[in-house]
Amino acid sequence: LGNSWTLLTASAGWSPRGVLASATLSNKFAMNESMIVMVGGVEKGGNLSDNQTVLQDDVWISEDGRLWVQATQRAPWGIRTGFVLHTHGRK
């Protein structure tokens, strides 16, 4: 399990980052469809010698892992890192 990975897109739209959270949500209108949600995280400075980090509070969604859409640039709950997303039923 996890021995083989397939690159679905070379550019998902958001900046490279770590310490983010993601979850898969069921589509409440279609039983066999779901979406991936990616939230927040920490972006390292663009220069490898740059130690500056930027905390993110954006939210991105995808139905297939190839095409990503920014749901919001600034989530109402604010900047978060090192957290967990939890789904409850179909919510």
Side-chain angles (χ1 to χ4, degrees):
L1 185 63
N3 293 330
S4 177
W5 291 83
T6 301
L7 180 65
L8 297 178
T9 183
S11 178
W14 64 80
S15 57
R17 62 186 73 182
V19 200
L20 56 91
S22 63
T24 302
L25 303 175
S26 296
N27 183 329
K28 62 183 175 182
F29 302 109
M31 292 297 287
N32 295 326
E33 294 181 15
S34 62
M35 72 174 97
I36 306 164
V37 179
M38 195 277 302
V39 179
V42 179
E43 174 186 346
K44 179 112 168 104
N47 186 332
L48 291 177
S49 64
D50 185 0
N51 289 324
Q52 181 180 6
T53 58
V54 177
L55 302 178
Q56 298 292 342
D57 60 344
D58 51 355
V59 177
W60 292 80
I61 58 173
S62 176
E63 292 181 355
D64 61 8
R66 290 179 171 87
L67 176 63
W68 289 84
V69 176
Q70 188 175 40
T72 184
Q73 186 175 2
R74 300 277 179 253
W77 53 78
I79 294 170
R80 311 247 172 186
T81 63
F83 62 104
V84 175
L85 291 181
H86 178 75
T87 61
H88 177 69
R90 297 177 66 80
K91 300 176 185 177

